[in-house]
Amino acid sequence: MKQANIETSIFSGVENDPSVATVMNGVEAMNNFNPDLIIGIGGGTPIDAAKAMWIFYEYPEFTFEEAAKPFNLPELRQKAKFIAISTTSGTVVQK
């Protein structure tokens, strides 16, 4: 990204089972940076946290209760696009 002269900002330190506070801190970081692309990197936890941050970045009035309802998410990609880069390969079961 740096070689392509793309300005970036990193939000890190997402704990397992991220708290509402962590998500909202990420949203605050997004509001300060105003990204047009969000990249979630890691396993399920950081990617899920990044997706939640993306929702509340685009729709600050949306609530966690509304987000938890099936098929209730608003149309995203109004302010930013999202890319997930998984660094895990899933669960391996051995016999």
Side-chain angles (χ1 to χ4, degrees), residues 22-80:
T22 296
V23 170
M24 297 317 290
N25 286 337
V27 173
E28 182 179 351
M30 288 180 184
N31 286 330
N32 290 331
F33 186 71
N34 294 312
D36 53 12
L37 177 65
I38 299 162
I39 303 173
I41 301 174
T45 294
I47 290 173
D48 287 347
K51 290 187 287 186
M53 293 170 196
W54 179 34
I55 292 167
F56 297 109
Y57 168 62
E58 293 212 2
Y59 294 93
E61 70 285 349
F62 209 64
T63 66
F64 276 90
E65 291 78 17
E66 291 173 308
K69 293 177 187 172
F71 310 106
N72 193 45
L73 294 180
E75 185 175 341
L76 296 169
R77 297 176 201 87
Q78 306 303 305
K79 292 169 70 173

Side-chain angles (χ1 to χ4, degrees), residues 2 4 6 9-10 12 20 31 35 45 49 54-55 63-65 68 74-75 81-82 86 88-90 95:
K2 199 177 276 189
I6 297 173
S9 177
I10 296 173
S12 61
V20 171
N31 286 330
T45 294
W54 179 34
I55 292 167
T63 66
F64 276 90
E65 291 78 17
E75 185 175 341
K81 292 188 167 86
F82 181 84
S86 176
T88 58
S89 59
K95 293 184 179 184

